[in-house]
Coordinates of all heavy atoms in Angstrom, one line a residue:
M1 N -7.7 27.8 -31.2 CA -7.1 27.7 -29.9 C -7.7 26.4 -29.3 O -8.9 26.1 -29.3 CB -7.4 28.9 -29.0 CG -6.9 28.8 -27.6 SD -7.4 30.2 -26.6 CE -5.8 31.1 -26.6
A2 N -6.8 25.5 -28.8 CA -7.2 24.2 -28.2 C -8.2 24.3 -27.1 O -8.9 23.4 -26.9 CB -5.9 23.5 -27.8
S3 N -8.1 25.4 -26.3 CA -9.0 25.6 -25.2 C -10.4 26.1 -25.6 O -11.3 26.2 -24.7 CB -8.4 26.5 -24.2 OG -8.5 27.9 -24.7
G4 N -10.6 26.5 -26.8 CA -11.8 27.0 -27.3 C -12.1 28.4 -26.6 O -13.3 28.7 -26.4
R5 N -11.1 29.0 -26.2 CA -11.1 30.3 -25.4 C -11.8 30.2 -24.1 O -12.4 31.1 -23.5 CB -11.8 31.4 -26.2 CG -11.1 31.8 -27.5 CD -11.5 33.1 -28.1 NE -10.7 33.5 -29.2 CZ -9.5 34.1 -29.1 NH1 -9.1 34.5 -27.9 NH2 -8.8 34.4 -30.1
H6 N -11.6 29.0 -23.5 CA -12.1 28.7 -22.1 C -10.9 28.7 -21.2 O -9.8 28.2 -21.6 CB -12.8 27.4 -22.0 CG -14.2 27.4 -22.7 ND1 -15.3 27.5 -21.9 CD2 -14.5 27.4 -24.0 CE1 -16.4 27.5 -22.8 NE2 -15.9 27.5 -24.0
C7 N -11.0 29.0 -19.9 CA -10.0 28.9 -18.9 C -9.8 27.4 -18.6 O -10.7 26.7 -18.5 CB -10.4 29.6 -17.7 SG -9.3 29.4 -16.3
S8 N -8.5 27.0 -18.5 CA -8.2 25.6 -18.3 C -8.5 25.2 -16.8 O -8.4 24.0 -16.5 CB -6.7 25.3 -18.6 OG -6.4 25.6 -19.9
L9 N -8.7 26.1 -15.9 CA -9.0 25.8 -14.5 C -10.4 25.9 -14.1 O -11.0 25.0 -13.6 CB -8.1 26.6 -13.6 CG -6.6 26.4 -13.7 CD1 -5.9 27.3 -12.7 CD2 -6.3 24.9 -13.4
C10 N -11.1 27.0 -14.4 CA -12.5 27.2 -14.0 C -13.4 26.9 -15.2 O -14.6 26.8 -15.0 CB -12.7 28.5 -13.5 SG -12.7 29.9 -14.7
Y11 N -12.9 26.7 -16.4 CA -13.6 26.4 -17.6 C -14.6 27.5 -18.1 O -15.4 27.3 -19.0 CB -14.4 25.1 -17.5 CG -13.5 23.9 -17.1 CD1 -14.0 22.9 -16.3 CD2 -12.2 23.8 -17.5 CE1 -13.3 21.9 -15.8 CE2 -11.4 22.7 -17.1 CZ -11.9 21.8 -16.2 OH -11.2 20.7 -15.9
N12 N -14.5 28.7 -17.5 CA -15.3 29.8 -18.0 C -14.9 30.2 -19.4 O -13.7 30.2 -19.7 CB -15.2 31.0 -17.1 CG -16.1 30.8 -15.8 OD1 -17.1 30.1 -15.8 ND2 -15.7 31.5 -14.7
F13 N -15.9 30.6 -20.2 CA -15.6 31.2 -21.5 C -15.0 32.6 -21.4 O -15.7 33.4 -20.7 CB -16.9 31.2 -22.4 CG -16.7 31.6 -23.8 CD1 -15.8 31.0 -24.6 CD2 -17.4 32.7 -24.2 CE1 -15.6 31.4 -25.9 CE2 -17.2 33.2 -25.5 CZ -16.3 32.5 -26.4
C14 N -13.9 32.8 -22.0 CA -13.2 34.1 -21.7 C -13.2 35.1 -22.9 O -12.8 36.2 -22.8 CB -11.7 33.8 -21.4 SG -11.5 32.7 -20.0
E15 N -13.7 34.6 -24.1 CA -13.6 35.4 -25.3 C -12.1 35.8 -25.5 O -11.2 35.0 -25.5 CB -14.6 36.5 -25.3 CG -16.0 36.1 -25.3 CD -17.0 37.2 -25.4 OE1 -16.7 38.2 -25.9 OE2 -18.1 37.0 -24.9
T16 N -11.9 37.2 -25.6 CA -10.6 37.7 -25.7 C -9.9 38.0 -24.4 O -8.7 38.3 -24.4 CB -10.5 39.0 -26.6 OG1 -11.4 39.9 -26.0 CG2 -11.0 38.7 -28.0
K17 N -10.6 37.8 -23.3 CA -10.0 38.1 -22.0 C -9.4 36.8 -21.4 O -9.8 36.3 -20.4 CB -11.1 38.6 -21.0 CG -11.7 39.9 -21.5 CD -12.8 40.4 -20.5 CE -13.4 41.7 -21.0 NZ -14.3 41.5 -22.1
I18 N -8.4 36.4 -22.1 CA -7.7 35.1 -21.8 C -6.2 35.4 -21.8 O -5.7 36.2 -22.7 CB -8.1 34.0 -22.7 CG1 -7.7 32.6 -22.1 CG2 -7.6 34.1 -24.1 CD1 -8.4 31.4 -22.7
E19 N -5.4 34.8 -20.9 CA -4.0 35.0 -20.9 C -3.3 33.6 -21.0 O -3.9 32.6 -20.5 CB -3.6 35.7 -19.6 CG -4.1 37.1 -19.5 CD -3.8 37.8 -18.2 OE1 -3.8 37.1 -17.1 OE2 -3.6 39.0 -18.2
L20 N -2.1 33.6 -21.5 CA -1.4 32.3 -21.6 C -0.3 32.3 -20.6 O 0.7 33.1 -20.6 CB -0.8 32.2 -23.0 CG -1.9 32.3 -24.2 CD1 -1.2 32.2 -25.5 CD2 -2.9 31.1 -24.0
H21 N -0.5 31.4 -19.6 CA 0.5 31.3 -18.5 C 1.6 30.3 -18.9 O 1.3 29.3 -19.5 CB -0.3 30.7 -17.3 CG 0.5 30.4 -16.1 ND1 1.2 31.4 -15.4 CD2 0.8 29.2 -15.5 CE1 1.9 30.8 -14.4 NE2 1.6 29.5 -14.5
H22 N 2.8 30.7 -18.5 CA 3.9 29.7 -18.6 C 3.9 28.8 -17.4 O 4.1 29.3 -16.3 CB 5.3 30.5 -18.7 CG 5.5 31.2 -19.9 ND1 5.0 32.4 -20.3 CD2 6.3 30.8 -21.0 CE1 5.4 32.7 -21.5 NE2 6.2 31.8 -22.0
I23 N 3.7 27.5 -17.6 CA 3.6 26.6 -16.4 C 4.9 26.6 -15.7 O 5.0 26.8 -14.5 CB 3.2 25.2 -16.9 CG1 1.8 25.2 -17.5 CG2 3.3 24.2 -15.8 CD1 1.3 24.0 -18.2
K24 N 6.0 26.4 -16.5 CA 7.3 26.6 -15.9 C 7.8 28.0 -16.3 O 7.8 28.3 -17.5 CB 8.3 25.6 -16.4 CG 9.7 25.6 -15.8 CD 10.6 24.5 -16.3 CE 11.9 24.6 -15.7 NZ 12.8 23.5 -16.2
Q25 N 8.0 28.9 -15.4 CA 8.2 30.3 -15.7 C 9.5 30.5 -16.5 O 10.4 29.7 -16.4 CB 8.4 31.1 -14.3 CG 7.1 31.1 -13.5 CD 6.0 31.9 -14.2 OE1 6.1 33.1 -14.4 NE2 5.0 31.1 -14.7
K26 N 9.5 31.5 -17.3 CA 10.6 31.8 -18.2 C 11.9 32.0 -17.4 O 12.9 31.5 -17.8 CB 10.3 33.1 -19.0 CG 9.6 33.0 -20.2 CD 9.5 34.3 -20.9 CE 8.8 34.2 -22.3 NZ 8.7 35.5 -22.9
K27 N 11.8 32.6 -16.2 CA 13.0 32.8 -15.4 C 13.6 31.5 -14.9 O 14.7 31.5 -14.5 CB 12.6 33.8 -14.2 CG 11.7 33.2 -13.2 CD 11.6 34.1 -12.0 CE 10.6 33.6 -10.9 NZ 11.0 32.3 -10.2
D28 N 12.8 30.5 -14.9 CA 13.2 29.1 -14.5 C 13.6 28.2 -15.7 O 13.7 27.0 -15.5 CB 12.2 28.4 -13.6 CG 11.8 29.2 -12.4 OD1 12.8 29.9 -11.8 OD2 10.7 29.3 -11.9
G29 N 13.6 28.8 -16.8 CA 14.0 28.1 -18.0 C 12.8 27.6 -18.8 O 13.0 26.7 -19.7
G30 N 11.6 28.0 -18.5 CA 10.4 27.6 -19.2 C 10.4 28.1 -20.6 O 10.7 29.2 -20.9
E31 N 9.9 27.2 -21.5 CA 9.9 27.6 -22.9 C 8.5 28.2 -23.3 O 7.5 28.0 -22.6 CB 10.0 26.3 -23.8 CG 11.3 25.6 -23.6 CD 11.4 24.3 -24.4 OE1 10.3 23.9 -24.9 OE2 12.4 23.7 -24.3
G32 N 8.5 28.9 -24.4 CA 7.2 29.4 -25.0 C 6.6 28.3 -25.9 O 6.2 28.6 -27.0
S33 N 6.5 27.1 -25.4 CA 6.0 26.0 -26.2 C 4.5 25.7 -25.8 O 4.0 26.1 -24.8 CB 6.8 24.8 -25.9 OG 6.7 24.3 -24.6
F34 N 3.9 24.9 -26.7 CA 2.5 24.5 -26.5 C 2.4 23.7 -25.2 O 1.4 23.9 -24.4 CB 2.0 23.6 -27.7 CG 0.6 23.2 -27.6 CD1 -0.4 24.1 -28.0 CD2 0.2 22.0 -27.2 CE1 -1.8 23.8 -28.0 CE2 -1.1 21.6 -27.2 CZ -2.1 22.5 -27.5
D35 N 3.3 22.8 -24.9 CA 3.3 22.0 -23.7 C 3.4 22.8 -22.4 O 2.9 22.4 -21.4 CB 4.4 20.9 -23.8 CG 4.3 20.0 -22.6 OD1 3.2 19.4 -22.4 OD2 5.3 19.8 -21.9
N36 N 4.1 23.9 -22.5 CA 4.3 24.8 -21.3 C 3.3 25.9 -21.2 O 3.4 26.7 -20.3 CB 5.7 25.4 -21.4 CG 6.2 25.9 -20.0 OD1 5.9 25.3 -19.0 ND2 6.9 27.0 -20.0
C37 N 2.3 25.9 -22.0 CA 1.3 26.9 -22.1 C 0.0 26.5 -21.4 O -0.4 25.4 -21.5 CB 1.0 27.2 -23.5 SG -0.3 28.4 -23.8
L38 N -0.6 27.4 -20.6 CA -1.8 27.1 -19.9 C -2.7 28.3 -20.1 O -2.5 29.4 -19.5 CB -1.5 26.9 -18.4 CG -2.7 26.6 -17.5 CD1 -3.2 25.2 -17.8 CD2 -2.3 26.7 -16.1
P39 N -3.8 28.2 -20.9 CA -4.7 29.3 -21.1 C -5.6 29.5 -19.8 O -6.1 28.6 -19.3 CB -5.6 28.9 -22.3 CG -4.9 27.7 -22.9 CD -4.1 27.1 -21.8
L40 N -5.6 30.7 -19.3 CA -6.3 31.0 -18.1 C -7.1 32.3 -18.1 O -6.6 33.3 -18.8 CB -5.3 31.2 -16.9 CG -4.5 29.9 -16.5 CD1 -3.4 30.3 -15.5 CD2 -5.4 28.9 -16.0
C41 N -8.2 32.4 -17.4 CA -8.9 33.7 -17.2 C -8.0 34.6 -16.3 O -7.1 34.1 -15.6 CB -10.3 33.5 -16.7 SG -10.3 33.0 -14.9
F42 N -8.4 35.8 -16.3 CA -7.5 36.8 -15.4 C -7.5 36.3 -14.0 O -6.5 36.4 -13.3 CB -8.1 38.2 -15.6 CG -8.0 38.8 -17.0 CD1 -8.6 40.0 -17.3 CD2 -7.2 38.1 -18.0 CE1 -8.5 40.5 -18.5 CE2 -7.1 38.7 -19.2 CZ -7.8 39.9 -19.5
G43 N -8.7 35.9 -13.5 CA -8.8 35.6 -12.0 C -8.0 34.3 -11.7 O -7.2 34.3 -10.7
C44 N -8.0 33.3 -12.5 CA -7.3 32.1 -12.3 C -5.8 32.3 -12.5 O -4.9 31.8 -11.7 CB -7.7 30.9 -13.1 SG -9.3 30.3 -12.6
H45 N -5.4 33.2 -13.4 CA -4.0 33.5 -13.6 C -3.5 34.2 -12.4 O -2.4 33.9 -11.9 CB -3.9 34.4 -14.8 CG -2.5 34.4 -15.4 ND1 -2.1 35.2 -16.5 CD2 -1.4 33.7 -15.1 CE1 -0.8 34.9 -16.8 NE2 -0.4 34.0 -15.9
A46 N -4.3 35.1 -11.8 CA -3.8 35.8 -10.5 C -3.7 34.7 -9.4 O -2.7 34.8 -8.7 CB -4.9 36.8 -10.2
D47 N -4.6 33.8 -9.3 CA -4.5 32.8 -8.3 C -3.3 31.9 -8.4 O -2.6 31.6 -7.4 CB -5.7 31.8 -8.4 CG -7.0 32.4 -7.8 OD1 -6.9 33.4 -7.1 OD2 -8.1 31.8 -8.0
V48 N -3.0 31.5 -9.7 CA -1.8 30.7 -9.9 C -0.5 31.4 -9.6 O 0.4 30.9 -9.0 CB -1.8 30.2 -11.4 CG1 -0.5 29.5 -11.7 CG2 -2.9 29.2 -11.6
M49 N -0.5 32.7 -9.9 CA 0.7 33.5 -9.7 C 0.9 34.1 -8.3 O 2.0 34.4 -7.9 CB 0.7 34.7 -10.7 CG 0.8 34.3 -12.2 SD 2.3 33.3 -12.5 CE 3.6 34.6 -12.3
Q50 N -0.1 34.1 -7.5 CA 0.0 34.8 -6.2 C 0.5 34.0 -5.1 O 0.7 34.5 -4.0 CB -1.3 35.5 -5.8 CG -2.3 34.5 -5.2 CD -3.6 35.2 -4.8 OE1 -4.0 36.2 -5.4 NE2 -4.3 34.7 -3.8
Y51 N 0.6 32.7 -5.3 CA 1.1 31.8 -4.2 C 2.5 32.2 -3.7 O 3.4 32.3 -4.5 CB 1.0 30.3 -4.5 CG 1.4 29.5 -3.3 CD1 0.4 29.2 -2.4 CD2 2.6 29.0 -3.1 CE1 0.7 28.5 -1.2 CE2 2.9 28.3 -1.9 CZ 2.0 28.0 -1.0 OH 2.2 27.3 0.1
N52 N 2.6 32.5 -2.4 CA 3.8 32.9 -1.8 C 4.2 31.9 -0.7 O 3.4 31.9 0.3 CB 3.7 34.3 -1.3 CG 5.0 34.8 -0.6 OD1 5.9 34.0 -0.4 ND2 5.0 36.1 -0.3
P53 N 5.2 31.1 -0.8 CA 5.5 30.1 0.2 C 5.8 30.7 1.6 O 5.6 30.1 2.6 CB 6.7 29.3 -0.3 CG 7.2 30.1 -1.4 CD 6.1 31.0 -1.9
D54 N 6.2 32.0 1.6 CA 6.5 32.6 2.9 C 5.2 33.1 3.6 O 5.2 33.5 4.8 CB 7.4 33.8 2.7 CG 8.8 33.3 2.1 OD1 9.2 32.2 2.5 OD2 9.4 34.1 1.3
H55 N 4.1 33.2 2.8 CA 2.9 33.7 3.3 C 1.8 33.0 2.6 O 1.2 33.6 1.6 CB 2.8 35.2 3.1 CG 1.6 35.8 3.8 ND1 1.3 35.8 5.1 CD2 0.5 36.4 3.2 CE1 0.1 36.4 5.3 NE2 -0.4 36.8 4.2
P56 N 1.5 31.7 2.9 CA 0.7 30.9 2.1 C -0.8 31.4 1.9 O -1.5 31.3 2.9 CB 0.7 29.5 2.8 CG 1.9 29.5 3.6 CD 2.1 31.0 4.0
K57 N -1.1 31.9 0.8 CA -2.4 32.3 0.4 C -2.5 31.9 -1.1 O -1.5 31.7 -1.8 CB -2.6 33.8 0.5 CG -2.9 34.2 2.0 CD -3.4 35.7 2.0 CE -4.6 35.8 2.8 NZ -5.2 37.1 2.8
G58 N -3.7 31.9 -1.6 CA -3.9 31.5 -3.0 C -3.8 30.0 -3.1 O -3.9 29.3 -2.2
K59 N -3.6 29.6 -4.3 CA -3.6 28.1 -4.6 C -2.2 27.7 -5.1 O -1.6 28.4 -6.0 CB -4.6 27.8 -5.6 CG -6.0 27.9 -5.1 CD -7.0 27.3 -6.2 CE -8.4 27.3 -5.6 NZ -9.3 26.7 -6.5
K60 N -1.7 26.7 -4.4 CA -0.4 26.2 -4.9 C -0.6 25.0 -5.8 O -0.8 23.9 -5.3 CB 0.4 25.8 -3.6 CG 1.9 25.4 -4.0 CD 2.6 24.9 -2.7 CE 4.0 24.5 -3.1 NZ 4.7 23.9 -2.0
Y61 N -0.5 25.3 -7.1 CA -0.7 24.2 -8.1 C 0.7 23.7 -8.4 O 1.6 24.4 -8.6 CB -1.3 24.8 -9.4 CG -2.8 25.2 -9.2 CD1 -3.1 26.5 -9.2 CD2 -3.8 24.2 -9.2 CE1 -4.4 26.9 -9.1 CE2 -5.1 24.6 -9.2 CZ -5.4 25.9 -9.1 OH -6.7 26.3 -9.0
T62 N 0.7 22.3 -8.6 CA 2.0 21.7 -9.1 C 1.9 21.7 -10.6 O 0.8 21.9 -11.2 CB 2.1 20.3 -8.6 OG1 1.0 19.5 -9.2 CG2 2.1 20.2 -7.1
V63 N 3.0 21.6 -11.3 CA 3.1 21.5 -12.7 C 2.2 20.4 -13.2 O 1.4 20.5 -14.2 CB 4.5 21.3 -13.2 CG1 4.6 20.9 -14.7 CG2 5.3 22.6 -13.0
T64 N 2.2 19.2 -12.5 CA 1.4 18.1 -12.9 C -0.1 18.4 -12.8 O -0.9 18.1 -13.7 CB 1.7 16.9 -12.0 OG1 3.1 16.7 -12.0 CG2 1.0 15.6 -12.4
E65 N -0.5 19.1 -11.8 CA -1.9 19.4 -11.6 C -2.4 20.4 -12.7 O -3.4 20.2 -13.3 CB -2.1 20.2 -10.3 CG -2.3 19.3 -9.1 CD -2.4 20.2 -7.8 OE1 -1.6 21.1 -7.6 OE2 -3.4 19.9 -7.1
L66 N -1.5 21.4 -13.0 CA -1.9 22.3 -14.1 C -2.1 21.7 -15.4 O -3.0 21.9 -16.1 CB -0.9 23.5 -14.1 CG -0.8 24.4 -12.9 CD1 0.4 25.4 -13.1 CD2 -2.1 25.2 -12.8
K67 N -1.1 20.8 -15.7 CA -1.2 20.1 -17.0 C -2.4 19.1 -17.1 O -3.0 19.0 -18.1 CB 0.1 19.3 -17.3 CG 1.2 20.3 -17.7 CD 2.5 19.6 -18.2 CE 3.5 20.6 -18.6 NZ 4.7 20.0 -19.1
R68 N -2.7 18.5 -15.9 CA -3.8 17.6 -15.9 C -5.1 18.3 -16.1 O -6.0 17.9 -16.9 CB -3.9 16.9 -14.5 CG -4.9 15.7 -14.5 CD -4.9 14.9 -13.3 NE -5.2 15.7 -12.1 CZ -4.5 15.8 -11.0 NH1 -3.4 15.2 -10.9 NH2 -4.9 16.6 -10.0
Y69 N -5.3 19.5 -15.5 CA -6.5 20.3 -15.7 C -6.6 20.7 -17.1 O -7.6 20.6 -17.8 CB -6.4 21.6 -14.8 CG -6.9 21.4 -13.4 CD1 -6.0 21.5 -12.3 CD2 -8.2 21.2 -13.1 CE1 -6.4 21.4 -11.0 CE2 -8.7 21.0 -11.8 CZ -7.8 21.2 -10.8 OH -8.2 21.0 -9.5
R70 N -5.5 21.2 -17.7 CA -5.5 21.7 -19.1 C -5.8 20.6 -20.0 O -6.6 20.7 -20.9 CB -4.1 22.3 -19.4 CG -4.0 22.8 -20.8 CD -2.6 23.0 -21.3 NE -1.9 21.7 -21.3 CZ -0.6 21.6 -21.4 NH1 0.1 22.6 -21.5 NH2 -0.1 20.4 -21.4
N71 N -5.1 19.4 -19.9 CA -5.3 18.4 -20.8 C -6.8 17.8 -20.8 O -7.3 17.5 -21.8 CB -4.3 17.2 -20.6 CG -2.9 17.7 -20.9 OD1 -2.7 18.7 -21.6 ND2 -1.9 17.0 -20.5
K72 N -7.3 17.8 -19.6 CA -8.7 17.4 -19.4 C -9.6 18.3 -20.2 O -10.5 17.9 -20.9 CB -9.1 17.4 -17.9 CG -10.4 16.8 -17.6 CD -10.6 16.9 -16.1 CE -12.1 16.9 -15.7 NZ -12.3 17.2 -14.3
W73 N -9.4 19.6 -20.1 CA -10.2 20.6 -20.8 C -10.0 20.5 -22.3 O -10.9 20.6 -23.1 CB -9.9 22.0 -20.3 CG -10.8 22.9 -21.2 CD1 -10.4 23.8 -22.1 CD2 -12.2 23.0 -21.2 NE1 -11.4 24.4 -22.7 CE2 -12.6 23.9 -22.1 CE3 -13.2 22.4 -20.4 CZ2 -13.9 24.2 -22.4 CZ3 -14.5 22.7 -20.7 CH2 -14.9 23.6 -21.7
Y74 N -8.7 20.3 -22.8 CA -8.5 20.2 -24.2 C -9.2 19.1 -24.8 O -9.8 19.2 -25.9 CB -7.0 20.0 -24.4 CG -6.1 21.3 -24.3 CD1 -4.8 21.3 -24.5 CD2 -6.7 22.5 -24.1 CE1 -4.0 22.4 -24.4 CE2 -5.9 23.7 -24.0 CZ -4.6 23.6 -24.2 OH -3.8 24.7 -24.1
K75 N -9.2 17.9 -24.1 CA -9.9 16.7 -24.6 C -11.4 17.0 -24.7 O -12.1 16.7 -25.7 CB -9.7 15.6 -23.6 CG -8.7 14.6 -24.0 CD -8.7 13.4 -23.1 CE -7.4 12.7 -23.1 NZ -7.2 11.7 -22.1
K76 N -12.0 17.6 -23.6 CA -13.4 17.9 -23.6 C -13.8 18.9 -24.8 O -14.7 18.8 -25.5 CB -13.8 18.6 -22.3 CG -15.2 18.5 -21.9 CD -15.4 18.9 -20.5 CE -16.9 18.7 -20.1 NZ -17.1 19.0 -18.7
S77 N -12.9 19.9 -24.9 CA -13.1 21.0 -25.9 C -13.0 20.4 -27.3 O -13.8 20.7 -28.2 CB -12.0 22.1 -25.7 OG -12.2 23.1 -26.7
A78 N -12.1 19.5 -27.6 CA -12.0 18.8 -28.9 C -13.2 18.0 -29.2 O -13.7 18.0 -30.3 CB -10.7 17.9 -28.9
K79 N -13.7 17.3 -28.2 CA -14.9 16.5 -28.4 C -16.1 17.4 -28.8 O -16.8 17.1 -29.7 CB -15.3 15.8 -27.0 CG -15.9 14.5 -27.3 CD -16.2 13.8 -26.0 CE -15.1 12.9 -25.5 NZ -15.4 12.2 -24.2
V80 N -16.3 18.6 -28.1 CA -17.4 19.5 -28.4 C -17.2 20.1 -29.8 O -18.1 20.1 -30.5 CB -17.4 20.6 -27.3 CG1 -18.3 21.8 -27.8 CG2 -17.8 20.1 -26.0
K81 N -15.9 20.4 -30.1 CA -15.7 21.0 -31.5 C -16.0 19.9 -32.5 O -16.5 20.3 -33.6 CB -14.2 21.4 -31.6 CG -13.9 22.8 -31.0 CD -12.5 23.1 -31.3 CE -11.9 24.0 -30.2 NZ -10.5 23.9 -30.1
G82 N -15.7 18.7 -32.3 CA -15.9 17.6 -33.2 C -17.4 17.5 -33.5 O -17.8 17.4 -34.6
I83 N -18.2 17.6 -32.4 CA -19.7 17.5 -32.6 C -20.2 18.7 -33.4 O -21.0 18.6 -34.2 CB -20.4 17.4 -31.2 CG1 -20.1 16.1 -30.6 CG2 -21.9 17.7 -31.3 CD1 -20.4 15.9 -29.1
Y84 N -19.6 19.9 -33.1 CA -20.0 21.1 -33.7 C -19.7 21.0 -35.2 O -20.6 21.3 -36.1 CB -19.2 22.3 -33.1 CG -19.5 23.6 -33.9 CD1 -20.6 24.3 -33.8 CD2 -18.5 24.1 -34.8 CE1 -20.8 25.5 -34.5 CE2 -18.7 25.3 -35.5 CZ -19.8 26.0 -35.3 OH -20.0 27.1 -36.0
Y85 N -18.5 20.6 -35.6 CA -18.2 20.4 -37.0 C -19.0 19.4 -37.7 O -19.4 19.5 -38.9 CB -16.7 20.2 -37.2 CG -15.9 21.4 -36.9 CD1 -14.9 21.4 -35.9 CD2 -16.1 22.6 -37.5 CE1 -14.1 22.5 -35.6 CE2 -15.4 23.7 -37.2 CZ -14.4 23.7 -36.2 OH -13.7 24.8 -35.9
L86 N -19.3 18.3 -37.0 CA -20.2 17.3 -37.5 C -21.6 17.8 -37.9 O -22.1 17.6 -38.9 CB -20.3 16.1 -36.5 CG -19.8 14.7 -36.9 CD1 -19.9 13.8 -35.7 CD2 -20.6 14.2 -38.0
M87 N -22.1 18.6 -36.9 CA -23.4 19.2 -37.1 C -23.4 20.1 -38.2 O -24.4 20.3 -39.0 CB -23.9 19.8 -35.8 CG -24.3 18.8 -34.7 SD -24.7 19.6 -33.2 CE -26.2 20.4 -33.6
K88 N -22.3 20.9 -38.4 CA -22.2 21.9 -39.4 C -22.2 21.2 -40.8 O -22.7 21.8 -41.8 CB -21.0 22.7 -39.2 CG -21.0 24.1 -39.6 CD -19.8 24.9 -39.2 CE -19.7 26.2 -39.9 NZ -18.5 26.9 -39.7
A89 N -21.6 20.0 -40.9 CA -21.5 19.3 -42.1 C -22.8 18.7 -42.6 O -23.0 18.4 -43.8 CB -20.4 18.3 -42.0
I90 N -23.7 18.5 -41.7 CA -25.0 17.9 -42.0 C -25.9 18.9 -42.7 O -26.0 20.0 -42.4 CB -25.7 17.3 -40.8 CG1 -24.8 16.2 -40.2 CG2 -27.1 16.8 -41.1 CD1 -25.3 15.7 -38.9
Ligands
ZN101 ZN1 -10.4 30.7 -14.7

């Protein structure tokens, strides 16, 4: 998993307690693709899903923000994995 089983927003290690959020919801035509996927812990998934424009609470993330957070974590995670595999090879 590209996230290393970490949440893409709070970066906590989730082990198996991780959910895959559709950045663009299925009901809005969002695909089940890698680009539309955002690995999240249960708490952050609730935060992302609970925003209600009629009663503003929770966090209103834009698609761009969500992808920026995720990509930043994927890059960091790939770097850590690279170091891990390098160390393992020595
Ligand atoms: Zn989280």
Side-chain angles (χ1 to χ4, degrees):
M1 176 183 258
S3 72
R5 296 195 174 275
H6 288 256
C7 174
S8 299
L9 293 182
C10 71
Y11 307 145
N12 280 334
F13 181 59
C14 304
E15 295 186 27
T16 55
K17 296 177 183 76
I18 195 163
E19 296 176 325
L20 301 176
H21 173 67
H22 284 82
I23 295 171
K24 184 177 181 183
Q25 295 297 288
K26 273 184 177 177
K27 69 175 178 64
D28 300 324
E31 298 173 355
S33 64
F34 184 79
D35 186 54
N36 195 38
C37 175
L38 183 71
L40 294 174
C41 70
F42 296 169
C44 287
H45 203 185
D47 282 348
V48 168
M49 294 301 292
Q50 80 180 29
Y51 185 80
N52 176 351
D54 298 327
H55 184 63
K57 280 191 134 190
K59 290 187 175 185
K60 184 182 181 185
Y61 290 105
T62 64
V63 167
T64 308
E65 279 177 308
L66 291 175
K67 286 188 176 182
R68 191 176 61 234
Y69 276 114
R70 180 200 60 196
N71 293 344
K72 186 177 154 193
W73 177 251
Y74 282 179
K75 259 188 205 169
K76 200 171 186 174
S77 182
K79 212 181 270 183
V80 170
K81 278 185 210 158
I83 290 168
Y84 173 76
Y85 289 124
L86 238 173
M87 288 173 70
K88 212 174 165 187
I90 296 172

